[in-house]
Amino acid sequence: MNQRMLHRGPDMQDYWCSEDHSIVLGHVRLSILDLSEAGKQPVQSQDGRYVMVWNGEIYNYESLRKKLVMDGRQLLFRGHSDTEVLIEYVAAYGLKEALKASTGMFAAAVFDRRTKKLCLCRDRMGEKPLYYGFLDSGFVFASDIGCIAEIAENSLEISRDALAVYLRHGYIPAPYTIYKNIYKAEAGSVVELPAPYDRPRIQKYWNVMRCARHGEKNLFAGSEKEAADHLEGLLKKSIQLQMQADVPVGAFLSGGIDSTTVTAVMQSLARGRVKTFSIGFEEHAYNEAAYAKETARYLGTDHTELYVTAKDVMDVIPKMAHIYSEPFADSSQLPMYLVSRLAKQSVTVSLSGDGGDELFCGYGSYSSVQRIWNMIKYVPYPLRHVTALGLGKIRNADHIRLNLLKNYLGRKSIESIYANHIDASADISLLSPEENLPPYKFTEYPSGYLTEDPVKNVMLMDMLMYLPDDILAKVDRAAMAVSLETRVPLLDKDIVEFAWTLPQSYKADGNQTKKVLRNVLYRYVPQSMMERPKKGFSIPVADWIRNGRLQEWAGDMLAESRIRKEGILDSAAVRKLWDGFLKDGRGAVYIWYLLMFEEWMHKVYRKKK
């Protein structure tokens, strides 16, 4: 299992086994703080009671260390790693208090030798991965689901429920994984297992829904300037803490609002020039490298850029199935991997601007669904529902406006409109017609959870699923594949909790998104430099598949005979979708979903079998 994820920790590895051989803990280390043996894992508390393996960083470990010393709970430390501080904090105050006090990103396994209880813990926002489940040999867990597949005595079985959700979103949300009986730990949760380790109990120690509800009841009463002042202070604190390392630290810089804000504040705090990294494309519609270069020049960072081609992408596509270990189809995984590989040549840690869109209302889809909801919400639902049923009987399925009416008129709430807005099921349901969609975060989302502004509801939906299960998974897996640690300052607990107290008008107003974040940024760079359309971290993969070097590869992967032989997807439906895409480019997103599933099938699943 350690060998399978050696890319996540190439510097050191070790094991620990309990006296009765019932528990074995393994760890591979990417050394960031305290590069000596004192930071080695698995680690035992000095009183011998607790043993821990974990992945991540505790940014406020110095303040935790000071509390241990001031309270007389721990006076002597072997080194200066956050690992040692965390295990001693658990020993002194208990796991619950340690999680409450810690600011950071982590996946941890803590074994209590006295009670024989094992606890698996995941950070608040879900930055670090944690998988667990049952094999014939017993209970297993790991930072990479591929480690679990590695030791499965019998071939793991594909979960068709998970596949149904994947075919709608391009990723598999927690608690599901692609395998039956193997699960993802939820963000902000603890999985408790007392001996004999057969009945896990899941508890939440932090919940973004509770955070949102508390913020709604305790709205920030200051002005927009005061909000920007407070946010800037929180950003400085978060970024200062996340710059701590005994190895080189840099930042991803796309030229957008989020990454520029992080980089600008980081450069203002740094003693020297911050190393920044970006990649570009020759296709102008997708290229932000020129903006990033201009921003880097203004901020005075030490900037490196790399322009990539279809060949560069083709060369790394075969790596994706192994890197993500289960089907994953956010196509920005490719540029994410390439920029991580570029950064790793100079640094071991890179700060990222992820989280700004979800926290500060940055996505255009938020205003889109609000416009749709505003147009239909005053029509009584029974009338809308009957009309939608009638429209559904019309055969002209290619008429765009008709499809929009059919899709949205019968929706009860803005939440259901948003779920449909980003749901690929209209086409993908044909691929697995016998399957029903299982319950998951979107189907179980409580309608009307927040009341001050309905857009907050859809932002919360993204915080619960899209952010941890797509964005953060993409960043962590791509970067750790090249042994690069990423840190996300905008997702600091204090920033997240503050963002939910802000009135919605402080985040978005008309066509202006992320207002309060922009107000901070404009203290560091001219507003005119940032006034341009949002592009996102995307890649011209659809063009390359239809008209370029990737068409032959894609055609082979989706060949009707191949799909039919596998017996999982509807081969005729796949063929129809592929032909339609080649004809007019429709369904590009769904094509990538299928391609990444097929890559996983043949590079990981079939290979294992």
Side-chain angles (χ1 to χ4, degrees), residues 42-79:
V43 61
Q44 290 192 54
S45 58
Q46 290 191 29
D47 64 8
R49 177 174 176 179
Y50 295 96
V51 187
M52 180 180 74
V53 289
W54 80 298
N55 166 36
E57 301 291 338
I58 302 298
Y59 303 126
N60 65 332
Y61 77 101
E62 289 283 10
S63 64
L64 301 186
R65 181 201 293 264
K66 288 179 182 177
K67 178 173 174 57
L68 285 166
V69 173
M70 289 178 63
D71 291 354
R73 306 302 292 265
Q74 187 63 45
L75 301 178
L76 298 175
F77 291 86
R78 295 182 289 263

Side-chain angles (χ1 to χ4, degrees), residues 392-448:
K393 297 177 181 179
I394 300 176
R395 297 295 182 183
N396 186 8
D398 291 330
H399 195 286
I400 296 176
R401 289 187 177 180
L402 181 61
N403 276 328
L404 287 175
L405 285 171
K406 286 193 292 186
N407 286 336
Y408 295 127
L409 266 182
R411 303 292 168 175
K412 287 186 175 181
S413 65
I414 192 171
E415 298 88 1
S416 62
I417 288 176
Y418 188 62
N420 185 77
H421 187 74
I422 58 175
D423 187 343
S425 60
D427 288 311
I428 296 300
S429 61
L430 299 175
L431 302 179
S432 192
E434 75 281 8
E435 301 298 330
N436 294 315
L437 188 67
Y440 69 109
K441 294 174 185 176
F442 272 16
T443 61
E444 296 182 329
Y445 187 86
S447 177

Side-chain angles (χ1 to χ4, degrees), residues 102-168:
S102 295
T103 296
M105 56 175 187
F106 52 83
V110 180
F111 178 58
D112 186 336
R113 299 174 70 189
R114 181 185 301 170
T115 65
K116 305 297 182 184
K117 184 165 72 172
L118 176 70
C119 289
L120 307 179
C121 319
R122 195 174 181 202
D123 65 69
R124 293 175 177 86
M125 298 307 301
E127 292 183 56
K128 286 298 178 183
L130 182 54
Y131 301 89
Y132 69 93
F134 292 91
L135 302 178
D136 293 342
S137 55
F139 182 81
V140 290
F141 67 91
S143 292
D144 188 329
I145 196 173
C147 301
I148 295 174
E150 198 71 24
I151 64 165
E153 296 174 4
N154 299 311
S155 180
L156 291 169
E157 187 177 349
I158 290 176
S159 166
R160 297 189 73 92
D161 281 351
L163 180 58
V165 183
Y166 167 80
L167 291 174
R168 284 156 174 78

Side-chain angles (χ1 to χ4, degrees), residues 24 90 163 220 285 392 542:
V24 181
V90 171
L163 180 58
F220 182 76

